[in-house]
Amino acid sequence: MYRRFGIITATLVLALALPLAAAAAQQAPRNFVAPLSGDQEVEPVDTNATGVAHFQLSRNGDGLSFRLNVANIAAPTMAHIHLEDPSGPVVAWLHPAGPPLDPDPPARFNGTLATGTLTGADLVGPLAGEALADLVDEILAGNAFVNVHTAAHPGGEIAGQISRPRGHIGR
């Protein structure tokens, strides 16, 4: 009788655990990446500059931490998240943390250009006053881009779409 009770209990536990595990796996992803290059600009830029932006959504969804790394870029003045394409409306500042533009950008830059955590309060343009979840929805829909602007290319020198990392499974 005890063996039969154990089998029934194990079956019930497994039956309850599987839907919970499936629901957890379907939660919104937390990690995103944007590889940056000149050919991803709306009007491609011939440049040796490259970069990558990494994003991680907090567990409660209220913060999106980021690290923006660039290489071989001259005089970076600003970096943003844009909607629609790299020249679309700005929805968040990455570098500097907010306006105005850097009046004296470094001549050549390699390394981490910016780090921080975005919240709903940091959203501007069409997402101003909205929740951070609205930006995450735009990322998941493929509508968010990072664009790094320079003195030589004020419209942007390197850009890239924010998406889930390749091969990323689950959260």
Side-chain angles (χ1 to χ4, degrees):
M1 176 165 155
Y2 290 110
R3 185 168 192 247
R4 185 174 177 197
F5 179 73
I7 292 172
I8 291 171
T9 302
T11 302
L12 285 174
V13 168
L14 186 58
L16 293 173
L18 286 176
L20 292 175
Q26 292 177 357
Q27 289 179 354
R30 293 186 45 225
N31 297 300
F32 306 97
V33 65
L36 309 173
S37 63
D39 64 348
Q40 294 302 304
E41 289 289 344
V42 173
E43 293 185 23
V45 174
D46 184 19
T47 180
N48 290 327
T50 60
V52 64
H54 294 276
F55 298 88
Q56 184 172 46
L57 185 63
S58 64
R59 291 203 183 275
N60 67 7
D62 289 342
L64 185 65
S65 60
F66 66 90
R67 175 175 303 278
L68 173 58
N69 294 317
V70 295
N72 202 32
I73 196 163
T77 56
M78 59 185 160
H80 311 99
I81 297 176
H82 294 256
L83 290 186
E84 301 165 12
D85 64 47
S87 66
V90 173
V91 294
W93 285 79
L94 302 176
H95 170 75
L101 306 179
D102 186 351
D104 190 25
R108 173 111 7 230
F109 193 88
N110 290 291
T112 301
L113 183 62
T115 62
T117 300
L118 299 171
T119 67
D122 297 308
L123 300 179
V124 298
L127 293 184
E130 301 295 330
L132 186 64
D134 294 306
L135 174 58
V136 174
D137 288 344
E138 293 289 350
I139 291 170
L140 292 172
N143 296 331
F145 298 80
V146 171
N147 195 0
V148 180
H149 306 257
T150 63
H153 300 280
E157 184 163 337
I158 56 174
Q161 184 178 25
I162 306 171
S163 61
R164 294 176 73 180
R166 290 186 197 266
H168 185 77
I169 299 172
R171 303 178 339 166

